[in-house]
Amino acid sequence: NEDGDDDNVEPSERVRAKLSKLTNMQACVVNAVTLRDMQVFALGLLDSESKNNKRFLVRSAASFVQARIGLPKRPILDASVINNSGSNGDGSANNGGLIVVGSYVPKTTSQLGWLLKLDGLEKIVINVADLVDESKRADTIDAISDRVEKAISSGKNTVVYMLV
């Protein structure tokens, strides 16, 4: 092919090799068209992290998270599935729902603004600085997890979002 890649090398290995050459906060743009493309990239990224002792900061779409953690593709949930989850069998729900906001494009920011105006919603803010600070990270994650678990198990709908 055009850029000299060996066609006999696994695509994820080609991704790993390219990522291993990045240094000093160089940017890399990934043009993934399909979920399979994203899965190949995620595998190459994981390999580069483990084999080359690299760390990456990723700004991405939700499909990257799905590929990165190996979630299978699922259909979009409809109201009947959502309304029956956590059901006591009589149609009443015993758990609240969870909304995690991790995208800050203008549309999402606008949607979050409207969501935060709702009454009865448990709002949990993540301070990014506390996640970046290794001395605070574990305690921050534990505290957020505890708050989320308590809110959901008490039947409250919960939104988790970051201050950036």
Side-chain angles (χ1 to χ4, degrees):
N1 61 43
E2 313 172 357
D3 59 6
D5 287 334
D6 182 349
D7 287 334
N8 295 319
V9 176
E10 285 290 324
S12 62
E13 175 57 25
R14 288 200 304 263
V15 170
R16 187 206 59 76
K18 288 178 187 283
L19 292 175
S20 70
K21 295 176 185 174
L22 297 175
T23 59
N24 301 321
M25 298 296 292
Q26 284 181 302
C28 171
V29 177
V30 176
N31 189 10
V33 177
T34 66
L35 178 59
R36 178 71 183 140
D37 293 342
M38 193 60 77
Q39 290 167 332
V40 168
F41 170 70
L43 183 57
L45 180 89
L46 289 168
D47 283 348
S48 188
E49 288 174 339
S50 66
K51 294 177 182 172
N52 302 110
N53 199 27
K54 294 271 192 176
R55 291 180 69 186
F56 296 94
L57 174 65
V58 178
R59 181 172 179 173
S60 70
S63 59
F64 171 75
V65 176
Q66 179 183 2
R68 171 73 171 71
I69 63 176
L71 284 176
K73 188 166 178 69
R74 294 176 40 177
I76 294 174
L77 299 178
D78 64 21
S80 66
V81 173
I82 293 169
N83 290 336
N84 286 328
S85 64
S87 173
N88 291 322
D90 61 1
S92 64
N94 56 2
N95 290 321
L98 176 63
I99 302 160
V100 179
V101 180
S103 171
Y104 290 91
V105 295
K107 181 71 170 181
T108 306
T109 302
S110 173
Q111 291 170 331
L112 178 61
W114 282 101
L115 180 64
L116 294 176
K117 293 177 184 176
L118 295 177
D119 291 330
L121 183 69
E122 181 73 17
K123 301 164 183 111
I124 300 174
V125 180
I126 300 173
N127 185 334
V128 175
D130 290 343
L131 292 178
V132 173
D133 182 338
E134 289 188 31
S135 69
K136 295 180 180 179
R137 182 178 303 141
D139 288 341
T140 299
I141 292 170
D142 288 344
I144 292 165
S145 297
D146 289 346
R147 282 190 64 197
V148 166
E149 178 62 33
K150 186 180 286 183
I152 291 173
S153 63
S154 70
K156 289 187 99 174
N157 291 323
T158 305
V159 60
V160 178
Y161 62 101
M162 291 183 254
L163 290 178
V164 290

